[in-house]
């Protein structure tokens, strides 16, 4: 019984396929063929939101104070809040805070570090009166060559000020 049903189904499918192939398409000579339209969209100067997660944030003194964990937008698609992760190690013990997105300043240049200490490319000057050595190093980190995301962001706060802000929690 089952074999008869399968055979009848296959025969019916073959019959319908034959009818479909036998039809002639109607020729229309009075209309021009629709032109293929290609839209080229350039996003020069735009940043990918997927690349913003993990972007390092520095303060005005070029101290690393955290990184972007998430971006929150309103219903019209405008980004309103940046969720910043402060402290912790490999995501453990990280303190999340929400800051207004417009308070972040994005920079496409590398972070310049100026500090004292023994660094590989240090310049050493010897003080004449005291005979002490002073080592000053100016280092510029490698900048992102990608045009799809900025090098870093700047937020005017210290790491301690961010840790003292109320913790951000996602509502469920």
């Amino acid at each position: 019984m089952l074999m008869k049903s399968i055979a009848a189904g296959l025969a019916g499918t073959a019959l319908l396929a034959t009818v479909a192939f036998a039809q002639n398409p109607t020729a229309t000579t009075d209309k021009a063929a629709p032109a293929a339209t290609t839209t080229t969209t350039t996003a020069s100067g735009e940043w990918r939101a997927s690349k913003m997660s993990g972007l390092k944030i520095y303060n005005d003194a070029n101290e690393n104070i955290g990184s972007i964990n998430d971006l929150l937008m309103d219903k019209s698609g405008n980004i309103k809040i940046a969720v910043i992760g402060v402290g912790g190690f490999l995501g453990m013990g990280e303190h999340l805070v929400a800051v207004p997105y417009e308070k972040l300043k994005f920079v496409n240049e590398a972070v310049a570090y100026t500090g004292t200490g023994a660094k590989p490319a240090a310049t050493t000057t010897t003080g004449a009166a005291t005979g002490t050595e002073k080592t000053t190093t100016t280092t510029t980190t490698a900048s992102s060559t990608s045009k799809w995301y900025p090098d870093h962001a700047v937020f005017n706060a210290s790491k301690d000020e961010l840790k003292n802000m109320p913790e951000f929690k996602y509502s469920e």
Side-chain angles (χ1 to χ4, degrees), residues 31-103:
K31 291 184 181 178
T37 58
T38 58
T39 304
T40 304
T41 304
T42 59
S44 179
E46 302 295 328
W47 294 326
R48 292 175 57 185
S50 62
K51 297 288 187 181
M52 299 299 275
S53 180
L55 189 73
K56 295 203 180 302
I57 300 177
Y58 295 84
N59 61 13
D60 291 331
N62 286 338
E63 298 168 334
N64 185 346
I65 58 173
S67 63
I68 294 177
N69 277 29
D70 208 349
L71 298 174
L72 306 178
M73 65 178 82
D74 61 12
K75 292 181 181 179
S76 64
N78 296 320
I79 299 173
K80 295 295 184 181
I81 296 173
V83 179
I84 299 175
V86 184
F89 181 71
L90 298 175
M92 301 299 293
E94 191 172 48
H95 182 75
L96 298 178
V97 295
V99 299
Y101 183 75
E102 66 269 2
K103 298 288 182 181

Side-chain angles (χ1 to χ4, degrees), residues 135-156:
T135 304
T136 305
T137 304
T138 302
T139 306
T140 303
T141 60
S143 176
S144 168
T145 58
S146 173
K147 62 180 180 179
W148 292 107
Y149 57 94
D151 183 74
H152 66 280
V154 176
F155 184 71
N156 191 17

Side-chain angles (χ1 to χ4, degrees), residues 123-127 130-136:
T123 58
T124 304
T125 57
T126 305
T130 61
T132 60
E133 290 187 354
K134 179 181 175 187
T135 304
T136 305

Side-chain angles (χ1 to χ4, degrees), residues 18-25:
T18 306
V19 171
F21 284 122
Q23 290 181 352
N24 289 332

